[in-house]
Every structure is written in C-alpha cells, then in structure tokens.
C-alpha cells in the first residue's frame, strides 16, 4: 500500500510540474502574442494607404484591407487557442485528475493507464497527459464493469479489459488518498462529496457519477428525454453533466447559445451557475417561464395570466384552424407614419385572393407578402408628396448621415424621389411598419371569437400565433426543462411548438408537483410523443442527498414509495425533530431554540414555509438571527439562516431545514399537500425539524 501511494504521488508530482510548465509557456505565448499584435497593427496602419480615386486603386485598397484583416485574424486565432489551453491547465492545477483506469487491449500486452480529469490536455509530444472525463476511453471508468468491457470511438466499438479502477482525493499536487473501487454507495470519495456542507451553490459530480446516472449522461441523442427521479437522486446534476458531455461531443454543431434551460426560479439559476463553468463550459441561456413570457414581443397586456383554457379546448382550436374565415374584428388597419396604408376591408380582400388555401401559415404568409408590397407602393406614392420631399431636402448633415449614411445632394427629380422613398422606408421600418410582424392580425380577438371566451390567455394567444404564422424559435437545438412536473399541459404545448426544431430533456418528480392542475407524466408523453420518436424515460430511484433518517421520513410520503431505495451516505445521522406546541408563543420559542441549535452547525439553515406571506412575516420576527429572506431573484448566501417559501426552495438543498408550520391546516390529508410536504422535507441533507401548533399534519401518521 505504501509503495502504491508513493508511486501515485510521484506520478502526480510529475504531472503537476508539467502543468505548471504548460501554464508558464502559455502565459509567455499570450504576452508575446499581445506584443506581436500591437506591433503588427502599428506596422499595418503605417503601410496602409486608403486610395479610392479610381476603380483600380479602390480594388487595391480593399485588397490591402483584406490582407490586414487576415493578419489580425491569425493573431486573434492564436490568442484564442492559447487562452483556451490556459483555461484548461488552470482548471487542472486545482485537481489534475480524479481517477485512473488500467485497460488491457490484447492478451500479450501490459495494461495501459489513463488518468481522467475534469478537462483533458496533451503533453508536448501530443500524448494524453490527462483525459477529459467525456472522452470515449473515460466511459470505462463510469460503466463500472471490471473485466471485459468496451467503449465507442469514431463510430467503432473498441473491446478492452478493465483491469483496475482507482479514485483519487487530490488537492493541487498533494495526494491525500486513493481508493481502488467499483463506485458503490459506500465509496469513501462519494461519501465525502455528498456529506460536504456546501449548500450555497451546486457543485459538479464528475468524479462520483453513478452507473445509472452515467447512462443518462452518455445516452443516445434522442429527440425527447424524460428523467424521472426522486428527490435527491441528482437529476439536475446529471443533466448539467449531460450538457457538458453533449457540448464536448458535438463541439462543431452545438454551442451554449443553442441551448435554452428553463429553471424554477432565478434563485435556482444562481444556485447552479458555477457547475458548467467549472467543467470548462459556458452556461446556456437560462430563463424561467415568466421570463420566457416577458421576452415575447408585442404580447397584449390585456391577456389573462391565469390558465383558464384547457388543453382539450386548444387541441380542438388547432385542429379546426384550417376552416377559419377571417372577419373584420380579426384584423386591424396597417398604418405607416400616421397614415392608413390598408384598411380592414383592404386586408380582408387580400385574404380572399387566397381562399383556395386552408387557413394557416401558407395562406397568411401569402397575405403578408401582398400587404408588404402594398405598403411599399403606398410609400412610393407618399414619396411624390412635395412637402415630404422638401423635408428631405432640408435635412441637416447629421440627419443625412443618419438616414442615408452619407451627405446627399440630389440633382434631379428622380434622385429627390429616390432619397425621399429611402427616408420614408427608414422611418417606417423603425416606427410604424408592422405588416411583417403580422400585427395587422388581431390574435386576441380571433382567439376569443373562436374559443367563445371573454379573456384570452397568454398560452392560447401564443399557440394561435405559432400555428397560424410559424412564430417561434427555429434556431434552438436543445431545450432543458427542470422541475417539469410544475408545468401545465398548455405550457408544455407552447414550449413543444415554440421550439419546434429542438430536442428536449425534461427532469421531474411527480411527487414534487406542488401546485394543482399540472401535467402528469402520461400527459407529458402524449404531448411530446411522435410515432417515430416516443419519449425515452430514464428512472432514478435512489436518493443520495439526505441522511437515512431524513430519506425515510420523506420517502414515506411518496406516491410510489415502494420503488424508492432509501440510502444513507452520511455517518451518524440524527432523527428528525418533530414537535407539537400549544400556542403561538410556544411555537416561536421552539423555533428559536431549534434555530440556535441549527445555526451553530455547518452549512446553511433554511426555514421553509408553505407560503410567501408566512416567509415574509417570519423573517421579520427572527431578526435576532439575521435571516436572509429569499425572494425570486436573490442568490443564496454561503452561511447563516435563510427564510423562503416552498416554491422558491424547489431544486435547492440545505444542511439544516425547519418547517415551522407542519400543521393540519397547512398540510391536510390531500395528495397536493403530501407532495408539498415531501418536497419541503427532502430539501434537508443533515438535519430537519418540524414544528406544528396544536395539530401535526396527518400525513406523517404520528402524534407529536
């Protein structure tokens, strides 16, 4: 054992020195590139002469500018390469690697050792110094198949024999421990990682990804994936690791700008914001449902925010859209610069030109194209107006630069007309030309008429616009939805069709559906299933977050408690504290006593209430403990006490949790209350206390 430790420490020291040399070399290269860049720019500026006197001189000048741009591109390219490499090396200097696999590729050869890290780098000879955890060979580490195994590289299956798998506990160049392991739940490295009191931000699980989790990380690129995992099973962590894996595997075709990540709250966005950067990747576009709606342009303020329209109503509406006939109330006049370019009758007449087409995207696109042409004709006519032409001729030099890009001096009537038309087009495009955006079509009035309702919902308005005009995001390639059990069927319909070209990864736990009228997973599948590509579901049924005692408490509340595998990764767990008080004064005393105990422990302490109003009032009464009241946009502090409502606690975890209102009134014997209590208790990793005034919730099946 001592010789193995010494040998591994010697290897670590050697690798670390190589990484330090790489860092120093890259820093020197960046400094040299910067100096060269300034020198090149100065030299080129001196040599370049702008000459546009003749066509030939103009062509030569453009050629010189192009040559300069090529020189600058080379300098920038070299800078980007060095910066990227330096970022990788800097990451590895904190922990060069976390695992090693020994692979034997033929019977007559000795096993080859491969060290696996958060990112990968090659040595000076181009050989792997550290393998990226996402590389094909690294898959053998996560598959946990000692003996004959395989991995896929460049479309081919490579057969090998895994003769050894070793984990390391490393801090910079110091080897603290190593473990020859099969990565079971009892592994010391996994136990240490999960017992750490780090609740302010989520950390990557690269070194401790379990076999069932790895199957999701490296799963085929199916059009729609649903990860159905119980509380604490690592759904979000696994999804972020998968995003990093996909970005690595599809570097040429997938970028963070192509990925949209729907999160339950802004606080949650802060909570997970460091995971992908620590894996060497840029965060995707993160947004909540409310942010998504707020970013929709031209959304009428009169739309109903609450969802009063059912999925069945919308399905029928969509199915019958091709039979719709536009009426005067469905369209609005098109105005240009304060003038009516087309009135309601004009638009309906244009629509009738295409009545041989069913109502839908093709027909309305044709109507829109004609409207755009008629608007241009209107502007051409308006450009002949003498008063408008005089306005153009009186523009100041600054205004001429704004509208035309240069000074103008028209000499003929035709030139005046063309400049006036350009001026009008410029103004119309920024102020009043709405034909291109289908603003002549009143989706709100049309939707209310077709659904026979007085108030159209946001979702119904969006779906109507999507199906009639093709509106949506066609560029997105991947959409991630966390806590998907909190989305309604209508919301999922909107996302499914708005991001019509994207693949979807959805994460959820039906036991954590904390609001009513949301889509169950069968409904979700019916929305996303297609005959060619049904939803592929992955189940995570083992909880790693909490102590065995806490896991047992919340797992008894699950609808599918039989499939949960309560698993303790902590030593010396303590039983949940459940107290029933007689009055409000006793309740506050008990809460203060519990807070005194919990805030002395490592990690964040959270008081989770059933409602936002209770959280606000409670935070005000607990000023002696300096609480942080978590609102929708506030990140978590690193230490101390936080008070927050349950809906903002979704997806988060805390070392110590207190539920101060575990009463029958707040958590009655209903399915929804059961889900809310399950969710609240499962936020705790080490300690949980429940306080109930007068009567404890019957959901726990015990007396205080």
């Amino acid at each position: 054992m001592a010789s193995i430790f010494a040998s591994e420490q010697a290897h670590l020291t050697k690798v670390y020195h190589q990484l330090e040399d790489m860092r120093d070399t890259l820093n020197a290269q960046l400094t040299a590139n910067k100096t060269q860049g300034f020198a090149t720019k100065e030299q080129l500026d001196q040599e370049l002469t702008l000459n546009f006197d003749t066509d030939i001189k103009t062509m030569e000048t453009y050629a010189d500018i192009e040559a300069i741009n090529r020189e600058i591109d080379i300098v920038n390219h070299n800078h980007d390469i060095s910066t990227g490499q330096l970022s990788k090396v800097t990451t590895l200097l904190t922990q060069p690697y976390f695992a090693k696999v020994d692979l034997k590729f033929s019977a007559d050869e000795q096993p080859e050792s491969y060290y696996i890290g958060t990112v990968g780098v090659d040595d000076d000879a181009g050989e792997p110094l550290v393998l990226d955890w996402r590389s094909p060979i690294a898959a053998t580490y996560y598959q946990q198949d000692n003996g004959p195994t395989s991995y896929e590289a460049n479309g081919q299956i490579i057969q090998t024999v895994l003769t050894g798998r070793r984990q390391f506990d490393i801090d910079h160049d110091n080897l603290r421990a190593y473990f020859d392991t099969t990565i079971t739940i009892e592994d010391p490295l996994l136990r240490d990682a999960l017992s750490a009191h780090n609740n302010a931000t989520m950390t990557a699980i690269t070194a401790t990804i379990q076999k069932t989790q790895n199957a999701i990380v490296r799963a085929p690129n199916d059009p729609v994936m649903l990860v159905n995992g119980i509380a604490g099973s690592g759904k979000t962590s696994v999804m972020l690791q998968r995003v990093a894996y996909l970005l690595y595997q599809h570097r040429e075709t997938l970028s963070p700008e192509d990925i949209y990540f729907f999160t339950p709250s802004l606080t949650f966005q802060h909570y997970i914001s460091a995971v992908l950067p620590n894996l060497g990747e840029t965060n995707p576009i993160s947004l909540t449902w409310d942010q998504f709606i707020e970013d929709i342009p031209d959304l009428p303020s009169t739309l109903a925010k609450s969802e009063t329209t059912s999925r069945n109503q919308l399905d029928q509406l969509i199915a019958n859209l091709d039979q719709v006939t536009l009426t005067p109330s469905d369209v609005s006049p098109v105005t240009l610069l304060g003038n009516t370019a087309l009135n309601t009758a004009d638009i309906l007449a244009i629509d009738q030109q295409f009545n041989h087409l069913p109502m839908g995207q093709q027909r309305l696109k044709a109507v829109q194209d004609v409207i755009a042409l008629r608007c241009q004709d209107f502007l051409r006519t308006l450009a002949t107006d003498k008063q408008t032409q005089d306005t153009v001729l009186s523009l100041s030099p600054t205004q001429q630069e704004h509208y035309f890009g240069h000074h103008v001096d028209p000499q003929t009537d035709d030139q005046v007309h063309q400049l006036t038309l350009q001026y009008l087009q410029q103004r119309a495009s920024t102020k009043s030309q709405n034909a291109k955006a289908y603003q002549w079509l009143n989706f709100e009035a049309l939707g209310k008429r077709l659904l026979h309702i007085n108030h159209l919902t946001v979702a119904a308005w969006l779906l109507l616009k999507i199906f009639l005009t093709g509106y949506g995001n066609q560029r997105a390639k991947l959409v991630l939805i966390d806590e998907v059990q909190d989305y309604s069927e209508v919301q999922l319909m909107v996302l499914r069709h708005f991001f019509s070209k994207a693949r979807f990864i959805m994460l959820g736990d039906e036991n954590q559906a904390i609001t009513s009228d949301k889509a169950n997973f069968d409904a979700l599948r019916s929305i996303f299933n297609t005959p060619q590509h049904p939803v592929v579901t992955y189940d995570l049924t083992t909880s790693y977050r909490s102590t065995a005692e806490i896991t047992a408490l919340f797992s008894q509340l699950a609808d599918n408690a039989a499939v949960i595998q309560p698993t303790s990764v902590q030593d010396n767990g303590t039983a949940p504290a459940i107290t029933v008080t007689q009055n409000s004064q006793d309740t506050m005393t008990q809460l203060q006593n519990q807070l005194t105990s919990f805030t002395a422990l490592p990690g964040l302490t959270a008081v989770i209430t059933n409602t936002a109003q209770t959280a606000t009032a409670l935070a005000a009464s607990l000023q002696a403990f300096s609480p942080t009241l978590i609102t929708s946009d506030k990140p978590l502090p690193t230490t101390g006490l936080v008070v927050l409502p349950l809906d903002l606690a979704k997806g988060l975890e805390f070392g110590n949790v207190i539920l101060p209102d575990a009463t029958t009134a707040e958590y009655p014997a209903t399915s929804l209350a059961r889900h809310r209590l399950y969710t609240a208790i499962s936020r705790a990793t080490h300690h949980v206390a429940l306080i109930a005034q007068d009567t404890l919730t019957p959901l726990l099946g015990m007396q205080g």
Side-chain angles (χ1 to χ4, degrees):
M1 294 289 289
S3 62
I4 294 175
F5 190 96
S7 175
E8 291 292 3
Q9 177 63 71
H11 179 80
L12 173 60
T13 301
K14 178 182 176 182
V15 169
Y16 202 83
H17 287 161
Q18 288 177 276
L19 292 171
E20 288 180 318
D21 290 343
M22 289 180 185
R23 177 197 59 195
D24 296 341
T25 299
L26 289 166
N27 277 323
Q29 287 177 357
L30 286 169
T31 301
N33 286 342
K34 184 177 181 180
T35 302
Q36 179 190 355
F38 284 130
T40 300
K41 183 179 184 301
E42 183 176 352
Q43 178 185 354
L44 294 174
D45 286 345
Q46 293 173 353
E47 294 177 354
L48 178 64
T49 301
L50 300 178
N51 190 334
F52 301 101
D53 292 343
T54 66
D55 290 344
I56 293 177
K57 293 295 184 182
T58 298
M59 291 176 63
E60 291 176 348
T61 297
Y62 284 138
D64 290 341
I65 293 174
E66 180 63 27
I68 291 174
N69 288 336
R70 284 197 297 270
E71 291 282 346
I72 294 173
D73 287 343
I74 291 173
V75 172
N76 289 337
H77 180 67
N78 291 337
H79 176 273
D80 291 343
I81 291 176
S82 297
T83 301
Q85 282 295 103
L86 181 59
S87 176
K88 289 183 178 182
V89 171
T90 302
T91 297
L92 293 180
L93 282 170
T94 301
Q95 183 191 45
Y97 46 81
F98 57 81
K100 179 181 77 169
V101 291
D102 297 321
L103 299 176
K104 192 171 184 178
F105 291 94
S106 64
D108 56 350
E109 293 182 0
Q110 291 298 311
E112 298 180 37
S113 296
Y114 297 91
Y115 289 81
I116 303 169
T118 302
V119 295
V121 295
D122 296 339
D123 61 21
D124 294 337
E127 295 297 321
L129 181 66
V130 178
L131 283 177
D132 192 299
W133 69 274
R134 298 165 289 187
S135 65
I137 290 180
T140 61
Y141 168 72
Y142 295 107
Q143 288 165 359
Q144 304 182 31
D145 295 325
N146 285 3
T149 188
S150 64
Y151 61 91
E152 183 177 346
N154 298 321
Q156 295 187 351
I157 302 298
I158 310 299
Q159 302 293 333
T160 186
V161 177
L162 180 62
T163 63
R165 300 166 65 253
R166 183 168 290 167
Q167 290 177 278
F168 301 102
D169 183 1
I170 291 174
D171 180 18
H172 292 77
D173 60 348
N174 177 37
L175 176 62
R176 296 191 293 203
Y178 74 88
F179 313 99
D180 289 322
T181 178
T182 57
I183 314 186
T184 65
I185 192 64
E186 300 301 330
D187 279 354
L189 194 63
L190 177 61
R191 185 186 301 114
D192 289 344
L194 295 178
S195 63
H197 294 267
N198 180 23
N199 306 125
T201 57
M202 180 180 285
T203 56
I205 61 168
T206 312
T208 56
I209 297 172
Q210 301 298 286
K211 187 172 183 178
T212 53
Q213 296 171 331
N214 182 60
I216 298 170
V217 172
R218 286 175 160 79
N221 204 12
D222 294 303
V224 185
M225 174 189 294
L226 171 63
V227 179
N228 178 18
I230 67 168
S233 57
K235 296 182 293 295
T236 303
S237 295
V238 169
M239 185 270 296
L240 291 171
Q241 299 284 155
R242 177 161 175 80
V243 170
Y245 175 79
L246 291 173
L247 288 170
Y248 177 87
Q249 294 292 327
H250 305 281
R251 188 71 69 193
E252 300 300 320
T253 58
L254 183 67
S255 69
E257 293 77 18
D258 301 325
I259 303 174
Y260 288 77
F261 182 13
F262 282 82
T263 66
S265 67
L266 294 177
T267 299
F268 184 83
Q269 289 178 21
H270 292 299
Y271 178 65
I272 65 171
S273 61
V275 175
L276 284 171
N278 287 341
L279 293 173
E281 302 293 348
T282 302
N283 278 319
I285 300 167
S286 296
L287 68 169
T288 63
W289 170 264
D290 288 343
Q291 286 179 310
F292 167 71
I293 294 301
E294 290 168 4
D295 288 343
I296 300 295
D298 306 318
L299 197 69
S301 59
T302 51
L303 295 176
K305 298 297 188 293
S306 60
E307 292 180 23
T308 56
T309 308
S310 70
R311 176 188 171 188
N312 287 337
Q313 287 176 292
L314 293 175
D315 281 339
Q316 292 176 11
L317 171 66
I318 293 167
N320 296 323
L321 275 181
D322 59 346
Q323 305 298 321
V324 169
T325 300
L326 295 181
T327 68
S329 66
D330 302 328
V331 298
S332 303
V334 174
T335 59
L336 293 174
L337 304 174
N339 300 285
T340 300
L342 292 96
N343 59 33
T344 298
D346 294 330
I347 296 173
L348 292 176
I350 294 172
D351 175 61
Q352 283 304 303
Q353 296 176 24
F354 303 99
N355 60 9
H356 60 284
L357 297 174
M359 182 57 66
Q361 295 179 24
Q362 184 182 6
R363 177 167 173 170
L364 290 181
K365 176 63 167 57
V367 173
Q368 176 185 293
D369 289 344
V370 173
I371 288 176
L373 291 173
R374 294 277 293 274
C375 286
Q376 289 303 310
D377 291 342
F378 180 84
L379 290 177
R380 289 188 186 93
T381 301
L382 193 60
T384 63
D385 178 70
K386 185 66 170 58
Q387 185 176 355
T388 306
Q389 291 181 350
D390 289 342
T391 299
V392 173
L393 293 174
S394 63
L395 292 174
S396 67
T398 301
Q399 291 172 320
Q400 291 179 20
E401 285 283 351
H402 172 73
Y403 286 109
F404 310 117
H406 55 83
H407 293 175
V408 297
D409 184 20
Q411 300 298 313
T412 67
D413 290 345
D414 184 61
Q415 289 176 345
V416 172
H417 180 267
Q418 289 301 318
L419 286 174
T420 304
L421 178 59
Q422 186 176 346
Y423 164 78
L424 292 172
Q425 289 171 335
Q426 175 81 352
R427 290 189 61 204
S429 66
T430 58
K431 291 188 176 181
S432 54
Q433 166 56 299
N434 297 323
K436 186 176 181 179
Y438 289 96
Q439 289 195 359
W440 49 269
L441 184 57
N442 191 333
F443 295 100
E444 184 175 10
L446 178 61
K448 289 192 292 186
R449 179 171 69 83
L450 297 179
L451 289 168
H452 307 290
I453 56 178
N454 294 323
H455 299 286
L456 194 70
T457 65
V458 170
W461 183 92
L462 262 175
L463 281 172
L464 198 60
K465 188 170 184 178
I466 289 169
F467 278 93
L468 284 177
T469 70
Y471 178 66
N473 187 323
Q474 308 295 320
R475 187 183 62 82
K477 296 180 180 178
L478 180 63
V479 174
L480 316 166
I481 307 177
D482 206 345
E483 305 291 350
V484 71
Q485 74 280 345
D486 288 327
Y487 286 73
S488 70
E489 294 182 40
V490 173
Q491 287 174 321
L492 293 177
M493 285 176 67
V494 168
L495 295 179
R496 168 71 179 86
H497 296 290
F498 186 87
F499 297 99
S500 59
K501 304 296 185 183
R503 297 176 183 270
F504 281 78
I505 300 176
M506 294 173 282
L507 321 174
D509 174 7
E510 289 180 297
N511 289 302
Q512 295 186 63
I514 64 171
T515 54
S516 59
D517 302 322
K518 301 305 180 184
N520 60 40
F521 287 174
D522 286 339
L524 179 152
R525 292 184 182 95
S526 70
I527 292 169
F528 285 89
N529 273 339
T530 66
Q532 298 80 17
H533 301 290
V535 175
V536 178
T537 302
Y538 292 84
D539 294 318
L540 294 174
T541 59
T542 299
S543 179
Y544 303 104
R545 173 187 293 150
S546 309
T547 62
E549 292 83 358
I550 296 173
T551 302
L553 182 62
F554 75 73
S555 64
Q556 68 174 295
L557 296 166
D559 294 334
N560 54 343
V563 304
I564 292 181
Q565 303 170 25
T567 306
S568 174
V569 296
Q570 324 286 349
D571 295 326
N572 303 319
T574 57
I578 300 176
T579 306
V580 176
T581 61
Q582 301 304 312
N583 52 56
S584 58
Q585 183 176 350
D586 289 345
T587 300
M588 182 56 65
T589 299
Q590 180 62 32
L591 175 58
Q592 291 173 340
N593 290 341
Q594 199 68 67
L595 283 172
T596 300
S597 172
F598 277 5
T599 53
L601 298 171
L604 270 175
T605 294
V607 175
I608 300 176
T609 64
N610 205 17
T611 66
Q613 293 84 351
T614 303
T616 300
L618 205 53
S621 65
L622 294 174
Q623 289 304 305
F625 294 89
S626 302
T628 299
L629 177 64
I630 301 299
T631 55
S632 62
D633 60 348
K634 182 170 284 188
L636 296 176
T638 55
T639 59
L641 169 66
V642 297
V643 180
L644 72 169
L646 178 57
D647 61 330
L648 293 184
K650 293 297 296 289
L652 308 178
E653 62 181 47
F654 306 93
N656 318 295
V657 168
I658 300 175
L659 307 186
D661 50 5
T663 63
T664 299
E666 294 294 336
Y667 296 99
T670 65
S671 178
L672 180 60
R674 176 182 293 275
H675 292 167
R676 294 182 66 84
L677 188 59
Y678 168 100
T679 304
I681 294 172
S682 63
R683 300 308 94 199
T685 62
H686 293 79
H687 304 90
V688 67
L690 287 76
I691 301 172
Q693 183 176 321
D694 297 329
T695 308
L696 179 69
T697 170
L699 295 172
L700 294 178
M702 60 184 76
Q703 299 297 320

